[in-house]
Every structure is written in C-alpha cells, then in structure tokens.
Amino acid sequence: MEIQRNISEFILLGLSDDQNIELFCFALFLLCYIVLMVGNLLILISVRCSSLFNQPMYYFLLHLSSIDICYTSTVTPKLIADLLVERKAISYSNCMLQVFTMHFFGGTEIFILTAMAYDRYVAICKPLHYMLIMKRTRCNLLILAAWTGGAIHALPLFTTAVSLPFCGPNEIDHYFCDIFPLLKVACTDTYITGVLVIAFSGMVALVTFVVLSFSYGIILFTLRNQSAEGRRKALSTCWSHITVVVLFFAPVIFIYLRPPTTFPEDKVFALFYTIIAPMFNPLIYTLRNAEMKNTLRKVWCHSLLSK
C-alpha cells in the first residue's frame, strides 16, 4: 500500500505542447461540449414531455442521451480546463474515479446501443409482434441489464488500476486517466495485466460490434421485401444507428484490441468516443428523424407560445 500511495497525483501531458493548438482545441471542445449538452438535454426534455416516451425506440434514446451526458462529463470539462493551464494535474483518487466512471458509463452505452439494435430488429423483422415483444417491462429489463453490464465491465478495470504500484514517474501521456497509460507508468511488470485488460475490455467491444453488425445486416437484408416507403423510413433510422455505432466502436476497438501499449495517436482516436461520437448522437438522431424533428417543434413551440 505504501508503494501505491507514493504518488499523490499524476501529471497529464494533454493533447499538445503548442499553446496555440491548445487554445484552438479549447474553443473547439468547448463548442462541442455545449452542443453535446444542449442537444442531449433537448432530446431528454422533448421525449419525456411527448408521446414518444411510450415508444421503445425513444425510451432507449432517452437513456442513451442521459448516458452521453454522464459519460462525456467525466472527461471533457477537465480537458477543457486543462487546455488553459500549463500544469495539468489530477489527484490519485480522482484519477482512479475517472477510470471507473469512464468504463462504467462507456460500457453502459455499449449495451444500450445493443438494446437499440435489438429494438430495431424486432420492429423491422417482426413488426406484427413488436408491441407484444417490446413491452415496457422488457425495455426496463434491458436498461437494467445495460447498467449492470456497465458495472461488471468497469469493476475489474477499476480494481486493476487501484492495485497498480506507482513509485514514479507520474506523467501520463494522455488527457485523461485510462488503464493503458496507467500501466505504462506503473513500477511493475504489467504485460500479463495488459493482456487481461485486452481480453476483457477489447473483446467486449469487438464481440458487441460483431453482434451489432450482424443484427443490422439481417435488418438491411429483410428490408428488401418491404415497400419503397417502408424501406426508406426504416433505412433512415438504421443508418442513423449504424453511424453512431461506427463512430463509437471503431476507435474503441483500435485502442483496446491490440498489444498493451500506447501511441501518440491514441489521444486523437480517444476524442472520437469521448467527445465527438456523444456530440453527434443528438444531431444524428434528430436531424435524420422526421418524428423527432416534429416533436421538437411541437414541444418547444408550445412552450414558447404558452409564455
């Protein structure tokens, strides 16, 4: 325990050493974070205050927006603040907390995306039994399973991080605390630990991505038997989901499904699943969804007129 507590804080090296680049990134990521928060809050309020709340797809979207807000808020505010200071420090306890919350909310998001894919599969492949299969009780069970899966995914990684001995140096070549950068600065042989992280974290992402790809493949194959209008509407929804899945999973698989090491490019790829994908989620699900756009107009126009 003395070795573990030999370091009371870590120094994050951040995205760049160039102050001009950091100022540009500050403006860019502040804008991204504002867009992310406003967009997801609009979805939360609009779905909750409309009849869409009773539809399974939008019920899952409500939870996805909630997760996106929590997930990106574990990293982005700290990143934005650090871009304005030279010394980017994070305490040991906050670093460990960041490891847990990142993987907890990230794992939960993965399983909610899986639940949304299942919902689309039932809606398109078994339309006559859709409301019977996707009852609110089953939806709640799927959401509970997603949160439980997120916790099961995060706890071993958190336990691994907490058990690592740190005796110096304490510089992490990243903009947030994650398991691979921590393994790099631990003062012990971490090869076996790294392999276990890949087996647990990387394989979860890969298997989930394969399952999602297979399910959307079945959905797209089934659409060939539908009318042109039904195919157009279903494709609009499915392509939105597929875009979100690719934006999130591609960089995650690149980082976690490889030998336990770190590269400078990791920070750029991590931006996709910590900031960019959560920011695009509300844009993709609203701008490409006529039902969602109509609901936004009704809810907010009614709210403004009532004032």
Side-chain angles (χ1 to χ4, degrees):
M1 296 300 291
E2 289 181 5
I3 296 177
Q4 290 180 10
R5 295 179 183 176
N6 192 32
I7 288 178
S8 60
E9 68 175 13
F10 294 98
I11 304 301
L12 301 171
L13 298 185
L15 291 172
S16 174
D17 295 328
D18 191 316
Q19 189 174 9
N20 292 326
I21 293 177
E22 289 205 326
L23 287 174
F24 171 77
C25 289
F26 168 79
L28 176 64
F29 296 139
L30 179 61
L31 176 63
C32 289
Y33 189 60
I34 292 171
V35 170
L36 183 151
M37 294 297 290
V38 171
N40 281 300
L41 285 172
L42 280 174
I43 289 177
L44 281 171
I45 297 169
S46 300
V47 172
R48 193 66 186 85
C49 297
S50 70
S51 59
L52 292 182
F53 181 70
N54 297 318
Q55 298 184 33
M57 184 179 81
Y58 295 101
Y59 181 67
F60 290 130
L61 180 58
L62 184 82
H63 285 276
L64 181 66
S65 294
S66 303
I67 286 294
D68 277 339
I69 290 173
C70 297
Y71 176 58
T72 197
S73 294
T74 64
V75 170
T76 308
K78 170 69 175 167
L79 167 63
I80 293 171
D82 282 347
L83 289 169
L84 296 179
V85 298
E86 185 176 348
R87 188 174 186 271
K88 304 166 178 54
I90 184 171
S91 67
Y92 175 86
S93 57
N94 285 340
C95 183
M96 296 301 111
L97 178 63
Q98 199 171 62
V99 170
F100 176 75
T101 53
M102 268 291 299
H103 287 279
F104 173 58
F105 291 124
T108 305
E109 175 149 348
I110 284 175
F111 296 120
I112 286 181
L113 289 172
T114 306
M116 293 177 77
Y118 175 70
D119 170 74
R120 290 301 84 203
Y121 166 77
V122 175
I124 294 170
C125 299
K126 300 178 183 295
L128 298 179
H129 302 93
Y130 177 68
M131 294 310 298
L132 180 64
I133 295 173
M134 299 304 297
K135 294 184 294 186
R136 183 50 57 94
T137 304
R138 177 163 294 183
C139 291
N140 288 333
L141 287 174
L142 288 171
I143 293 296
L144 178 61
W147 284 94
T148 304
I152 293 172
H153 168 71
L155 281 172
L157 298 173
F158 172 70
T159 304
T160 299
V162 169
S163 64
L164 290 172
F166 299 104
C167 48
N170 66 337
E171 290 186 342
I172 298 177
D173 189 16
H174 217 305
Y175 61 88
F176 68 93
C177 287
D178 200 6
I179 191 70
F180 279 164
L182 286 171
L183 290 178
K184 191 174 181 179
V185 298
C187 51
T188 186
D189 184 7
T190 59
Y191 180 79
I192 299 300
T193 305
V195 172
L196 292 175
V197 171
I198 293 169
F200 188 77
S201 189
M203 289 306 297
V204 166
L206 179 64
V207 170
T208 307
F209 180 70
V210 170
V211 170
L212 289 173
S213 300
F214 182 71
S215 65
Y216 282 118
I218 293 174
I219 290 170
L220 294 175
F221 182 76
T222 304
L223 287 177
R224 65 190 177 87
N225 298 321
Q226 295 197 8
S227 64
E229 177 61 25
R231 190 162 52 243
R232 184 196 62 79
K233 186 176 179 180
L235 278 173
S236 177
T237 303
C238 284
W239 283 125
S240 299
H241 291 211
I242 291 169
T243 304
V244 169
V245 166
V246 171
L247 277 175
F248 187 84
F249 278 93
V252 168
I253 291 172
F254 172 80
I255 289 178
Y256 292 105
L257 198 67
R258 67 172 194 225
T261 185
T262 58
F263 298 111
E265 295 80 9
D266 288 355
K267 291 182 280 188
V268 177
F269 279 98
L271 290 171
F272 278 91
Y273 61 82
T274 56
I275 301 173
I276 296 173
M279 179 194 70
F280 275 112
N281 280 359
L283 298 176
I284 290 170
Y285 283 114
T286 54
L287 297 180
R288 289 183 57 85
N289 190 312
E291 204 170 18
M292 194 70 215
K293 285 190 286 187
N294 291 334
T295 299
L296 285 170
R297 279 194 290 266
K298 288 179 183 177
V299 170
W300 295 102
C301 289
H302 177 75
S303 177
L304 291 172
L305 289 174
S306 63
K307 293 181 179 180

